[in-house]
Amino acid sequence: MKKITSVLLALTLMLACAGCGSKGGDSAGKADVKSEGVMTYDEYVAAALDTEVVVETYVQAKQSWWDDKATVYTQDKDGAYFVYNMACSEEDYARLTPGTKIKVTGYKGEWSGEVEIMDATFEIEDGNYVAQAEDVTSLLGTDDLIKHQNKFVSFKGMTVEAAGQDESGNDVAYLYSWDGSGQDGDDLYFNVSLNGNTYTFTVESYLCDNTTDVYAAVKALNIGDKIDMEGFLYWYEGVNPHITSVKAAK
């Protein structure tokens, strides 16, 4: 019986480990261990602006590549890092698929409340981790929300509000560009509310252009719709998430 019990216990542990690995990428455990000279997320947060930072993180999405510079959303199990205009060849940009582990060396900067890594270089390392969306709906309107800046997050049960008016003076659910001066293919801005407070969310056209499902979904919104969303917790003069998925609320 002891032998049978031991075998069953071993099998149970194997299955449990396999289940854990399938949720957060196959290197979720390795994300705890930083190489020599690499900051933890807490050390990165504590670092002063305009100082050099070195982090190991995982690509979650790519926003753009131009003139050998890449902008990417990245995250490890402790927090997220927005890497802006990182030196990157077009060949290497193609290698930065979701989950790819990279070591980034750059300078910590801030622009209109958005904390980012600038003037960076990177190395691709072994490892893979894809973050699950963290529900931060309850944190909207609180001081704790900014602690999750740049993470892949979700918002649930929010109501679509008027984003502005069209040329005829009718309320509309979204605008091209922040002031409605744009056209199809530009960023989409739309307003959503929760508990009496209204927030402006964005479909960033470099991240999700007008051929994507989320771009089409926002263009199909009606004022009063209840929706669930996922995206990256970007900041611009306050919370301004870059939304990657919009669906009817469950």
Side-chain angles (χ1 to χ4, degrees):
M1 285 297 294
K2 288 183 178 179
K3 183 175 181 180
I4 293 173
T5 301
S6 298
V7 171
L8 289 173
L9 179 59
L11 287 171
T12 300
L13 290 172
M14 289 173 64
L15 289 171
C17 289
C20 291
S22 66
K23 288 184 178 180
D26 60 14
S27 295
K30 293 181 181 178
D32 290 327
V33 181
K34 302 295 185 181
S35 301
E36 184 177 353
V38 174
M39 294 174 161
T40 64
Y41 181 71
D42 286 343
E43 289 171 337
Y44 168 77
V45 170
L49 293 175
D50 300 320
T51 59
E52 185 176 75
V53 292
V54 182
V55 302
E56 284 176 334
T57 181
Y58 301 81
V59 175
Q60 304 300 306
K62 299 186 291 188
Q63 178 173 296
S64 63
W65 179 87
W66 179 254
D67 195 25
D68 286 335
K69 293 180 181 178
T71 296
V72 295
Y73 303 80
T74 76
Q75 188 169 336
D76 63 21
K77 82 170 198 68
D78 295 317
Y81 316 80
F82 184 68
V83 187
Y84 179 74
N85 273 1
M86 173 177 68
C88 179
S89 68
E90 189 172 12
E91 180 182 12
D92 280 343
Y93 188 66
R95 298 171 63 193
L96 298 181
T97 54
T100 301
K101 184 179 183 180
I102 55 175
K103 179 180 178 180
V104 178
T105 302
Y107 290 86
K108 184 178 177 181
E110 181 180 356
W111 185 68
S112 296
E114 168 63 23
V115 178
E116 56 197 23
I117 300 177
M118 307 170 63
D119 298 326
T121 58
F122 76 99
E123 305 169 28
I124 294 178
E125 299 185 328
D126 291 335
N128 189 277
Y129 172 72
V130 175
Q132 301 296 306
E134 180 178 347
D135 186 351
V136 295
T137 311
S138 64
L139 298 181
L140 281 166
T142 73
D143 293 337
D144 287 334
L145 183 63
I146 198 169
K147 298 176 184 178
H148 299 267
Q149 186 177 126
N150 297 319
K151 282 185 179 180
F152 185 53
V153 298
S154 64
F155 303 91
K156 297 182 179 179
M158 302 193 70
T159 302
V160 177
E161 303 291 348
Q165 294 184 328
D166 61 18
E167 294 178 353
S168 301
N170 300 312
D171 288 342
V172 293
Y174 68 91
L175 296 173
Y176 293 116
S177 298
W178 66 273
D179 60 353
S181 63
Q183 58 187 349
D184 188 55
D186 291 333
D187 297 347
L188 295 180
Y189 283 75
F190 62 107
N191 290 341
V192 289
S193 66
L194 182 74
N195 298 329
N197 296 315
T198 298
Y199 308 90
T200 299
F201 286 12
T202 303
V203 176
E204 218 289 338
S205 58
Y206 287 135
L207 176 63
C208 298
D209 65 21
N210 61 353
T211 67
T212 58
D213 290 344
V214 66
Y215 202 97
V218 170
K219 289 177 63 176
L221 290 176
N222 295 301
I223 296 169
D225 286 349
K226 296 279 189 179
I227 58 175
D228 294 340
M229 294 163 286
E230 292 180 346
F232 296 97
L233 194 59
Y234 192 79
W235 219 261
Y236 178 76
E237 304 294 346
V239 59
N240 181 220
H242 288 175
I243 297 301
T244 60
S245 172
V246 171
K247 296 180 181 178
K250 295 180 179 179

